Amino acid sequence: MVCLGNICRSPLAEGIMQHKIDSFGLEAEVDSAGFEAFHTGDAPDERAIKVARKNGIDILGYRARLFQQADFDRFDRIYVMDNKNYSDVMQVARNDSDRLKVDFILNALSPGRNDVLPDPYYGKISDFESVFDLLNQAADVIANKLQNGG
Ligand code: 4NP
C-alpha cells in the first residue's frame, strides 16, 4: 500500500487489508510505504489512528517508511492511491514484471478507471472517514479475490 507520506492513506490501507486478511483467514503479508521522507519513522496521523480505532483497527504501532526497489521483490502487488504515487512507483520499477504489479487501489471498485483516493492530510476528520470507507470497500474486493485464488 503506497501513498506519499505513509501517515494517512497507506497506513489505513495496510490496517484495513490486514484486518480483512485476518478475518478471511488468508495467508498474506501486507505493508505500506511512502515517497516523502518528511514523516519517516513517525506514527500515522492521529486522525487516521482515530478513524481506524473507531472501526476496530489498531494502527498505532505503524511507522512511516520510504518505498524501496526491494519492495518489488517482497510483494506481488503494489497498490497506489493517486497519480503521483503511481508515477513515483513506476519510476523505481526495473522491468515489466515490476510494472505489472502496480495498480490504483480504487480499481478494485471501478476496474480500469484509475480513480484517485485524495490526500486527506489538509482535510477534515470527515475526509479521513471517506478514505476509510473507500479503502474498506476496496480491501473487501481484494480479499474476496485472494480467497478465490486470484
Ligand atoms: P498521505 O498524506 O500520503 O496519505 O500519508 C500525506 C501526509 C503528509 C504529507 C503528504 C501527504 N506531507 O508532505 O507531509
Side-chain angles (χ1 to χ4, degrees):
M1 303 298 184
V2 176
C3 65
L4 182 60
N6 193 208
I7 56 166
C8 297
R9 291 164 296 176
S10 62
L12 275 174
E14 179 188 346
I16 292 165
M17 196 68 235
Q18 186 66 60
H19 189 73
K20 301 283 181 202
I21 287 166
D22 295 343
S23 56
F24 278 65
L26 300 167
E27 296 264 335
E29 186 191 350
V30 60
D31 198 2
S32 64
F35 275 86
E36 163 60 59
F38 191 64
H39 290 283
T40 297
D42 288 357
D45 185 284
E46 61 183 30
R47 295 163 296 177
I49 293 172
K50 195 170 165 182
V51 169
R53 188 191 293 128
K54 213 169 93 178
N55 289 278
I57 296 173
D58 179 12
I59 63 170
L60 192 59
Y62 292 5
R63 292 294 176 266
R65 72 171 180 92
L66 292 174
F67 185 86
Q68 297 177 312
Q69 203 166 50
D71 286 317
F72 283 112
D73 301 320
R74 269 182 73 200
F75 298 99
D76 299 318
R77 296 170 191 190
I78 314 279
Y79 291 105
V80 300
M81 309 295 142
D82 63 26
N83 295 309
K84 167 93 169 82
N85 315 148
Y86 186 80
S87 59
D88 283 345
V89 172
M90 282 306 203
Q91 234 159 31
V92 185
R94 299 157 294 192
N95 50 43
D96 284 348
S97 163
D98 285 355
R99 285 186 276 274
L100 279 169
K101 295 183 175 184
V102 187
D103 200 7
F104 289 80
I105 193 161
L106 291 188
N107 277 344
L109 301 179
S110 313
R113 271 206 347 218
N114 296 352
D115 285 342
V116 303
L117 190 64
D119 186 353
Y121 187 58
Y122 294 105
K124 304 180 296 239
I125 192 80
S126 58
D127 297 310
F128 282 76
E129 279 159 358
S130 311
V131 163
F132 185 96
D133 285 346
L134 284 167
L135 287 173
N136 195 39
Q137 291 175 50
D140 206 57
V141 172
I142 293 166
N144 264 296
K145 284 203 177 135
L146 280 176
Q147 196 170 44
N148 294 314

